[in-house]
Amino acid sequence: MALGRSSFFGGNNIGMTDLAFGWLAFWLDVVGEAAGVKLLQPNSFPRLQVWIENFKNVAVIKENHPD
């Protein structure tokens, strides 16, 4: 993962790689809630967790993703 100081895979702007893996940001929470477990521990994969939060907070993603 190339997320050194960048917010997304391709830098500071959302790109195709982010969009291709964006479903992961939401489905990990859904599957974890359905199974009754936390699938992604924040301290296990900290850069992945940061990417998920950054992805979920992009305005166009927030406005178009259903609850």
Side-chain angles (χ1 to χ4, degrees):
M1 193 185 239
L3 284 176
R5 297 173 201 263
S6 303
S7 298
F8 303 104
F9 285 101
N12 291 322
N13 296 317
I14 195 168
M16 290 302 295
T17 305
D18 301 296
L19 293 174
F21 289 105
W23 62 272
L24 183 71
F26 294 98
W27 279 102
L28 282 173
D29 289 338
V30 171
V31 171
E33 186 176 326
V37 296
K38 180 82 171 161
L39 294 176
L40 184 63
Q41 299 297 328
N43 57 352
S44 299
F45 300 98
R47 293 193 307 177
L48 180 58
Q49 190 70 35
V50 168
W51 173 79
I52 288 172
E53 292 305 313
N54 289 338
F55 184 80
K56 286 181 175 181
N57 287 320
V58 171
V60 71
I61 301 298
K62 283 175 90 170
E63 293 168 1
N64 292 294
H65 192 273
D67 291 337

